[in-house]
């Protein structure tokens, strides 16, 4: 008995005692069952622990819980592939990247931490008063736009911007914003500068924003444009999606049609649609 005790003691001192379980001894399926309750960034961190954790992090059932309910629609419409041809982790990773559709005028992506959907619509997909007339509008390359191009309004009497989007959103509450900036941005000696010399007319009357959905929801708001030199997200309103996996058509607009004065000096980038709880981190977009 003493000899047995000594033997065990020596094995323990050597650090190789079979009585000491380590992370490699945990079944991969058990690890995967734990990982499915964590957020995607946490899963990716734990995947680096060892081979068992890495293997568990690849399990389809882990990532299927992170994907939005309409992921099959997104894979087919946006990625142009069959959902069965990709692993769930690969689907998640690819959908977290900005994915363009409709001739590059729209983008959709998943928030990496939550897996929730965001959609952006370039000004090129909108109907805009006088957009093809260079007396009114200039098209400017910009690193500050996810579409790499913005529209700059020099001066106009009647401004109306109208857009539509048909898309299948997961259930939830979403907000719609116009991304605008008063002033024209440029770079001088490598530093950002914004010329506001042409900004005028936005303090006379408010801009009216409107939103309607194919199931009868409506929202509107009015505000004066005030974000000189910095991009601002002007909220149009919210809409609720109850029926997941059913396409919804949105119509949205901004207008300032008081012809008693001209207005100008504004940059129009895009329209953003995101979960309403993302309002506090709009600067990321």
């Amino acid at each position: 008995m003493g000899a047995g005790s000594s033997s065990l003691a020596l094995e323990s001192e050597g650090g190789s005692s079979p009585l000491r379980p380590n992370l490699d001894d945990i079944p991969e399926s058990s690890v995967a069952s734990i990982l499915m309750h964590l957020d995607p960034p946490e899963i990716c961190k734990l995947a680096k622990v060892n081979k068992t954790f890495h293997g568990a992090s690849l399990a389809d059932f882990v990532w299927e819980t992170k994907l939005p309910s309409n992921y099959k629609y997104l894979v087919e419409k946006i990625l142009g592939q069959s959902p069965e041809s990709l692993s769930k982790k690969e689907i998640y990773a690819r959908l977290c990247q900005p994915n363009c559709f409709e001739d590059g005028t729209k983008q959709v992506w998943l928030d990496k931490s939550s897996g929730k959907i965001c959609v952006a619509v370039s000004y090129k997909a909108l109907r805009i008063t006088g957009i093809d007339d260079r007396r009114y509008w200039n098209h400017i390359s910009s690193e500050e736009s996810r579409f790499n191009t913005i529209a700059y309004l020099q001066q106009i009497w009647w401004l109306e911007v109208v857009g539509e989007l048909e898309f299948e959103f997961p259930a939830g509450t979403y907000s719609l914003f116009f991304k605008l900036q008063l002033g024209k941005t440029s770079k001088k000696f490598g530093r950002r500068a914004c010329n506001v010399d042409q900004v005028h007319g936005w303090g006379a009357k408010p801009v009216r924003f409107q939103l309607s959905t194919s199931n009868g929801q409506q929202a509107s708001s009015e505000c004066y444009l005030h974000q000189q030199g910095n991009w601002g997200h002007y909220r149009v309103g919210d809409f609720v999606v109850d029926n997941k996996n059913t396409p919804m058509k949105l119509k949205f607009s901004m207008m300032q049609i008081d012809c008693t004065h001209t207005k100008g000096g504004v940059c129009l980038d895009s329209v953003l649609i995101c979960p309403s709880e993302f309002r506090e981190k709009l600067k990321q977009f």
Side-chain angles (χ1 to χ4, degrees):
M1 184 172 181
S5 299
S6 298
S7 176
L8 287 173
L10 288 172
E11 287 180 351
S12 297
E13 290 171 3
S16 60
S17 172
L19 299 179
R20 285 186 175 180
N22 56 48
L23 291 176
D24 291 321
D25 298 323
I26 304 175
E28 189 174 292
S29 59
S30 298
V31 175
S33 296
I34 296 172
L35 294 182
M36 69 182 294
H37 297 289
L38 304 179
D39 292 332
E42 296 173 320
I43 296 172
C44 293
K45 286 180 182 178
L46 290 173
K48 300 175 182 178
V49 170
N50 58 28
K51 290 183 178 180
T52 302
F53 276 69
H54 176 72
S57 72
L58 300 177
D60 272 353
F61 74 86
V62 170
W63 289 97
E64 190 157 17
T65 62
K66 312 305 172 189
L67 288 166
S69 60
N70 67 336
Y71 79 88
K72 292 183 179 180
Y73 163 84
L74 295 174
V75 172
E76 293 172 352
K77 178 180 175 66
I78 308 301
L79 302 183
Q81 293 186 252
S82 167
E84 288 73 31
S85 66
L86 302 170
S87 71
K88 299 299 187 292
K89 182 179 181 180
E90 185 176 0
I91 291 174
Y92 192 92
R94 290 181 62 178
L95 290 179
C96 282
Q97 302 300 314
N99 292 281
C100 295
F101 62 106
E102 295 191 14
D103 298 322
T105 62
K106 298 179 177 69
Q107 282 188 7
V108 60
W109 67 96
L110 301 185
D111 176 67
K112 291 182 179 179
S113 297
S114 65
K116 295 191 174 183
I117 284 181
C118 300
V119 180
V121 181
S122 167
Y123 78 89
K124 292 182 178 180
L126 309 178
R127 300 192 303 277
I128 304 172
T129 309
I131 188 64
D132 296 321
D133 193 327
R134 302 183 93 182
R135 293 175 299 173
Y136 305 128
W137 293 91
N138 291 331
H139 304 269
I140 304 173
S141 297
S142 174
E143 296 177 353
E144 298 179 349
S145 169
R146 63 176 51 253
F147 297 100
N148 300 314
T149 309
I150 60 175
Y152 176 68
L153 174 64
Q154 299 179 91
Q155 180 172 291
I156 205 165
W157 290 91
W158 175 296
L159 175 64
E160 189 170 5
V161 182
V162 180
E164 295 183 358
L165 173 70
E166 185 169 5
F167 199 79
E168 185 180 300
F169 290 93
T173 302
Y174 297 83
S175 297
L176 188 144
F177 304 86
F178 274 85
K179 184 180 177 182
L180 307 167
Q181 175 185 266
L182 292 180
K184 181 165 61 174
T185 303
S186 62
K187 279 193 175 182
K188 293 184 178 180
F189 306 107
R191 299 183 65 181
R192 185 182 190 274
C194 189
N195 187 330
V196 297
D197 291 346
Q198 288 185 305
V199 176
H200 69 281
W202 303 109
K205 290 290 180 66
V207 174
R208 182 170 177 77
F209 299 95
Q210 291 181 304
L211 166 67
S212 63
T213 70
S214 53
N215 64 352
Q217 299 179 65
Q218 294 188 350
S220 64
S221 62
E222 290 187 352
C223 73
Y224 292 92
L225 303 189
H226 58 274
Q227 290 282 109
Q228 286 200 11
N230 292 294
W231 290 102
H233 288 86
Y234 292 83
R235 179 170 166 267
V236 180
D238 300 343
F239 63 94
V240 178
V241 178
D242 292 320
N243 300 321
K244 61 182 182 180
N245 306 325
T246 300
M248 175 179 283
K249 190 170 185 178
L250 308 176
K251 291 185 178 181
F252 42 88
S253 65
M254 66 170 282
M255 59 183 68
Q256 217 288 19
I257 56 177
D258 185 336
C259 293
T260 60
H261 65 282
T262 63
K263 63 282 289 178
V266 67
C267 288
L268 170 58
D269 177 28
S270 57
V271 168
L272 172 68
I273 303 161
C274 65
S276 295
E277 64 262 34
F278 285 9
R279 290 181 198 170
E280 300 303 318
K281 54 180 182 179
L282 288 176
K283 288 184 179 180
Q284 297 179 14
F285 307 121

